[in-house]
Amino acid sequence: MSQSAAKPVPVPDEISAPFFDGARAGHLMLQHCTACGKWSFPVRERCPHCLGAKLGWRAASGRGTLYTFAIMHQVMNPGFAAEVPYNVSQIDLAEGVRMVANVIGIANDQLRIGMELQAVFEDVGMGVSIPKFRPVAA
Amino acid sequence: MANSSKGAIVGLGVTPMGKIYGRRAVDFAAEAIALALEDAGLQKSDIDGLLINANLPNDMTPGAQMILGFENLTLVNVMTAYGSTGGSMMQYACMAIREGLAKTIVLVYADAPLTPSRGAGQSYSGPHRFPLGGMTGLKAAYGDFGANLGYAMAAQRHMHLYGTTEGHLGIVAVGQRKWAQMSPWAQMKAPMTMADHHNSRWIAEPLRLLDCCLVSNGAVAIIVTSADRARDLRQPPVHVLGYAQSAPGDNLDTSRHPAVETGAARSGETAFRMAGITRADIGSCQLYDCYTYTVLVTLEDYGFCAKGEGGPFVADGKLGPGGALPTNTGGGQLSGYYMWAFTPMSEAIVQARGQGGARQVPNRDFTLVSGNGGILNFHSTMIFSPHEGGG
């Protein structure tokens, strides 16, 4: 297993392009239903609340709190061989949806459920950026 | 007196389990069905219904009917609610028999993910072909692969809210290993101590290797018919007195999380009511145990203890041999074999018949069985009994 294998880079598709375009511009773009007024995530074609197709995009605040996390020790993809152990975390966003992402800028053993987080955007190559989360300085 | 039988289990077939290479899933299925027919004293031509459940995409399709050589069926389906499916199949089979759509139905689960070059860790870890589009690619970019992480995050939340410890998880694993040592079908029989559990390597913290289920090549087949027809067959019938499903619809939009409450709460209540019994009547539990944590949260949601107290509840070893609430008496998925809901169903049949040998529980009147699918998304509950009920 090569230590230099690249991590997988997501390929924006038609439905998710605004999310990835937003991330590249430094915004956490989420879908927001123009019919029922609710936020949703992950990205999809229709609103999961009202099943309407009138999903728009809005910039979310990027603020959230850590709901839970786990520290991954298994290498399921060679691109992560040098990353383990790394955290995969669930973040409750201020808008009321929950995202899975990585929390960065903190040691894994310092992660605390409930801690305040702010979205940051990481260039992962091939012109793609993705949101990650960083603790808000106390 | 319990409520009346909804259907009767008359045959059980369990193949050898584990690192048995070079066979496809449908071949394990054929062996399990042959064993179940022999167990029941039935001929292949007696079967008029076939319900198929499989994990990975494989040869367990509707076309398996022809590979298995069944003719003149009046009911065929591949079904899935992931690890909960066995309960869905039992519901469908019993309802179909009562409606007269079929008389004698085989339920079969088979899987063959292990190969000499692909071990347990890589068996179910999701897509490996890159690049991946959109949201699937986003998950991959975060290193979010497989089910281990989802259950680890659920367990972490439970630990945070309720003070659950690795000792609470460990006692589940240790108790089930003791049971496995008494089961002829179990894959893992080496003694396990609490220290062994605590020293096993991390998979996804807070879950260690010995918190995680096995991966098995093998198959289980179960034959279901009416209570009337069951009376004349070879084995003592096992009656299905209650069954229910619950899928609360946990997702990222609704800010609920299965760490807090699973479908077991509603599904269990419904199944107990259907059977006309209470949890105090249960002699043993055969619970879906993809992880040690799953056992704790399921016991809580079935009401054996208050929410959050699953850890302290099991800490005295009551789930193990000689304990007050014998649970996963064949070793479960942690130490026995991983056949989705067919692991707990198969052991419940053995216990309800009184055929458990050294591991037979003293009270076999009512056995509680659970299925669980996804990341605690889909739940099924069944209550098995040697008693036909009614009257």
Side-chain angles (χ1 to χ4, degrees):
Chain A
M1 192 170 286
S2 167
Q3 291 288 312
S4 60
K7 287 203 272 188
V9 174
V11 179
D13 52 18
E14 190 176 354
I15 183 74
S16 64
F19 176 86
F20 289 104
D21 289 346
R24 203 167 51 208
H27 302 296
L28 181 60
M29 298 299 293
L30 296 181
Q31 289 175 302
H32 185 268
C33 182
T34 59
C36 75
K38 291 180 177 167
W39 297 88
S40 57
F41 187 85
V43 175
R44 75 199 86 179
E45 295 85 346
R46 278 178 184 264
C47 172
H49 306 286
C50 72
L51 300 182
K54 295 180 177 175
L55 284 177
W57 288 90
R58 285 192 185 177
S61 64
R63 290 196 307 274
T65 57
L66 183 59
Y67 179 78
T68 190
F69 62 95
I71 310 301
M72 187 61 162
H73 288 254
Q74 285 181 302
V75 179
M76 294 294 206
N77 175 283
F80 287 87
E83 292 282 314
V84 291
Y86 60 88
N87 75 80
V88 175
S89 301
Q90 294 187 1
I91 297 103
D92 276 347
L93 299 179
E95 287 74 17
V97 300
R98 189 173 292 150
M99 254 190 96
V100 173
N102 308 124
V103 178
I104 61 172
I106 184 171
N108 287 330
D109 63 5
Q110 297 301 305
L111 289 168
R112 298 288 180 269
I113 287 174
M115 70 193 314
E116 295 198 31
L117 303 169
Q118 177 69 43
V120 293
F121 299 90
E122 185 174 299
D123 183 343
V124 294
M126 298 171 68
V128 175
S129 291
I130 63 173
K132 293 192 173 181
F133 288 81
R134 187 179 281 280
V136 173
Chain B
M1 182 60 124
N3 292 332
S4 60
S5 174
K6 309 297 182 289
I9 297 163
V10 296
L12 172 65
V14 179
T15 69
M17 294 284 172
K19 293 175 181 172
I20 301 160
Y21 300 130
R23 294 174 59 184
R24 53 184 181 151
V26 72
D27 180 55
F28 285 109
E31 181 182 357
I33 292 169
L35 290 167
L37 288 167
E38 170 68 21
D39 181 60
L42 288 168
Q43 302 300 310
K44 192 152 154 268
S45 56
D46 294 322
I47 300 301
D48 57 1
L50 177 63
L51 298 179
I52 297 165
N53 182 205
N55 187 332
L56 291 175
N58 58 28
D59 45 15
M60 294 290 283
T61 67
Q65 179 195 343
M66 274 62 81
I67 298 171
L68 297 167
F70 282 111
E71 297 178 339
N72 299 314
L73 302 184
T74 58
L75 192 84
V76 182
N77 273 293
V78 174
M79 298 179 65
T80 192
Y82 304 122
S84 179
T85 316
S88 314
M89 295 162 87
M90 188 62 75
Q91 288 184 324
Y92 184 39
C94 290
M95 290 190 291
I97 289 164
R98 285 149 65 90
E99 281 288 316
L101 302 177
K103 290 189 177 68
T104 307
I105 303 175
V106 169
L107 286 52
V108 63
Y109 176 91
D111 202 15
L114 299 171
T115 66
S117 61
R118 187 179 65 191
Q122 293 292 334
S123 295
Y124 304 115
S125 57
H128 287 284
R129 287 175 188 220
F130 297 93
L132 292 169
M135 291 293 105
T136 308
L138 186 66
K139 270 172 65 85
Y142 294 135
D144 182 6
F145 303 108
N148 295 337
L149 275 167
Y151 281 89
M153 286 192 277
Q156 184 90 264
R157 181 74 183 171
H158 197 273
M159 289 172 157
H160 169 75
L161 290 174
Y162 305 117
T164 306
T165 67
E166 77 172 347
H168 296 146
L169 300 180
I171 195 81
V172 173
V174 167
Q176 291 191 200
R177 179 61 59 88
K178 289 179 186 162
W179 285 119
Q181 291 171 321
M182 294 184 270
S183 168
W185 293 324
Q187 289 176 223
M188 302 298 282
K189 298 200 180 203
M192 185 201 300
T193 64
M194 288 291 274
D196 292 334
H197 171 270
H198 296 351
N199 292 329
S200 67
R201 64 184 162 88
W202 290 118
I203 297 296
E205 285 180 60
L207 300 179
R208 296 178 180 276
L209 179 67
L210 294 180
D211 291 306
C212 302
C213 68
L214 305 166
V215 176
S216 309
N217 288 356
V220 177
I222 294 171
I223 301 175
V224 181
T225 191
S226 66
D228 283 345
R229 187 174 160 78
R231 287 191 197 102
D232 303 324
L233 296 177
R234 184 173 287 163
Q235 293 289 346
V238 174
H239 296 281
V240 183
L241 299 186
Y243 43 57
Q245 295 183 47
S246 175
D250 137 72
N251 63 46
L252 296 176
D253 305 306
T254 52
S255 292
R256 73 173 293 286
H257 191 277
V260 179
E261 183 180 286
T262 73
R266 183 173 182 181
S267 176
E269 190 181 319
T270 306
F272 280 126
R273 190 169 60 242
M274 183 183 292
I277 65 164
T278 71
R279 76 183 66 80
D281 298 315
I282 295 299
S284 73
C285 294
Q286 310 301 337
L287 303 180
Y288 201 96
D289 59 327
C290 45
Y291 300 87
T292 49
Y293 170 69
T294 314
V295 174
L296 297 186
V297 74
T298 304
L299 287 168
E300 292 173 7
D301 289 335
Y302 279 152
F304 287 100
C305 60
K307 176 49 65 184
E309 293 178 9
F313 179 69
V314 305
D316 67 355
K318 67 164 60 63
L319 306 187
L325 188 64
T327 294
N328 295 345
T329 54
Q333 300 172 339
L334 295 172
S335 285
Y337 46 94
Y338 180 64
M339 290 280 117
W340 272 2
F342 284 69
T343 298
M345 290 163 76
S346 54
E347 179 65 15
I349 293 165
V350 171
Q351 291 291 344
R353 286 178 176 177
Q355 297 174 347
R359 71 186 194 281
Q360 179 63 46
V361 300
N363 177 357
R364 62 186 177 95
D365 288 337
F366 302 101
T367 305
L368 182 61
V369 189
S370 76
N372 158 65
I375 310 294
L376 300 158
N377 301 115
F378 311 105
H379 196 92
S380 58
T381 309
M382 289 161 276
I383 294 166
F384 290 179
S385 174
H387 311 302
E388 195 171 328

